[in-house]
């Protein structure tokens, strides 16, 4: 298998075939204490927020970079017109739970989508990770790291050689 054939196979894979198991993903419930979320973000780039473990309804995502807003005082978010929604995402602005700071519009993709669909969406929105959903239910995630790992695995398994 050459690199072109490996890429073709890679692009046609379903997201559901390569996404990690739910129990390995960084997931918290909406009512999770914000300090516990911060502890998770010391070693993860994001944390998914779900309504509860039973429904797994996706509420949002908290990214590593969001920690800056959480730690800044509310005044640092103010504009001439007063408080912004970001100021409410600060610990000093009253945020105490995961749902208080979660981005309520996480990028999602259906589990039957292909790797090519995921790559196109990632490029369009400059995102490194997508929530894999079935309706409103979080069923997995797909990240650039997972995609790189899978492509390299395909190359090794297929014995592809770079011609360059």
């Amino acid at each position: 298998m050459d690199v072109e054939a490996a890429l073709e196979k890679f692009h046609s894979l379903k997201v559901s075939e390569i996404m990690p198991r739910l129990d390995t993903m960084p997931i918290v419930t909406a009512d999770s204490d914000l300090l516990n979320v911060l502890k998770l973000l010391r070693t993860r780039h994001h944390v998914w927020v779900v309504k509860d473990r039973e429904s797994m309804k996706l509420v949002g995502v908290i990214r590593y970079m969001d920690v800056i807003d959480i730690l800044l005082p509310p005044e640092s978010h103010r504009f001439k017109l007063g408080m912004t929604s970001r100021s409410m995402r600060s610990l000093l602005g009253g945020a105490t739970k995961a749902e208080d700071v979660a981005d309520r519009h996480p990028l999602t993709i259906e589990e039957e989508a292909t790797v090519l669909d995921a790559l196109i969406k990632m490029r369009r929105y400059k995102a490194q990770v997508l929530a894999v959903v079935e309706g409103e239910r979080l069923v997995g995630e797909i990240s650039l790291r997972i995609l790189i790992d899978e492509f390299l695995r395909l190359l090794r398994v297929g014995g592809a050689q770079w011609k360059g």
Side-chain angles (χ1 to χ4, degrees):
M1 180 182 333
D2 62 14
V3 173
E4 195 175 315
L7 267 172
E8 212 170 287
K9 179 172 172 44
F10 177 64
H11 288 159
S12 66
L13 287 172
K14 297 271 187 245
V15 167
S16 59
E17 296 177 75
I18 60 172
M19 66 186 189
R21 294 187 337 265
L22 266 181
D23 63 355
T24 66
M25 291 171 43
I27 300 172
V28 297
T29 55
D31 62 354
S32 292
D33 182 81
L34 198 46
L35 296 180
N36 289 330
V37 173
L38 289 176
K39 288 175 189 172
L40 267 175
L41 285 167
R42 286 188 302 189
T43 58
R44 301 306 281 255
H45 290 284
H46 64 280
V47 175
W48 300 111
V49 181
V50 296
K51 183 174 182 277
D52 53 61
R53 295 276 177 182
E54 293 73 46
S55 72
M56 289 302 284
K57 181 178 189 254
L58 183 61
V59 171
V61 64
I62 304 169
R63 292 176 202 84
Y64 184 67
M65 289 299 291
D66 295 337
V67 173
I68 295 169
D69 288 336
I70 294 168
L71 296 177
L72 278 171
E75 311 81 70
S76 64
H77 299 287
R78 282 196 185 141
F79 290 109
K80 290 180 182 140
L81 299 173
M83 299 296 272
T84 66
S85 61
R86 282 188 138 183
S87 63
M88 308 316 284
R89 293 173 65 180
S90 159
L91 278 169
L92 291 174
T96 61
K97 297 182 174 10
E99 66 184 337
D100 297 338
V101 299
D103 175 347
R104 299 297 183 125
H105 304 286
L107 289 172
T108 62
I109 195 160
E110 298 287 321
E111 60 182 333
E112 288 306 305
T114 64
V115 163
L116 183 60
D117 297 330
L119 285 166
I120 290 169
K121 192 164 205 172
M122 286 174 169
R123 183 182 66 192
R124 180 179 301 137
Y125 295 102
K126 294 179 175 33
Q128 296 176 14
V129 66
L130 304 173
V132 180
V133 293
E134 192 178 89
E136 293 184 326
R137 184 178 164 83
L138 179 68
V139 295
E141 69 181 4
I142 196 74
S143 69
L144 201 47
R145 186 189 51 75
I146 293 164
L147 293 174
I148 291 167
D149 287 347
E150 182 60 22
F151 181 63
L152 293 173
R153 190 192 69 74
L154 263 180
L155 284 178
R156 284 194 303 274
V157 168
Q161 299 296 313
W162 291 110
K163 297 176 184 125

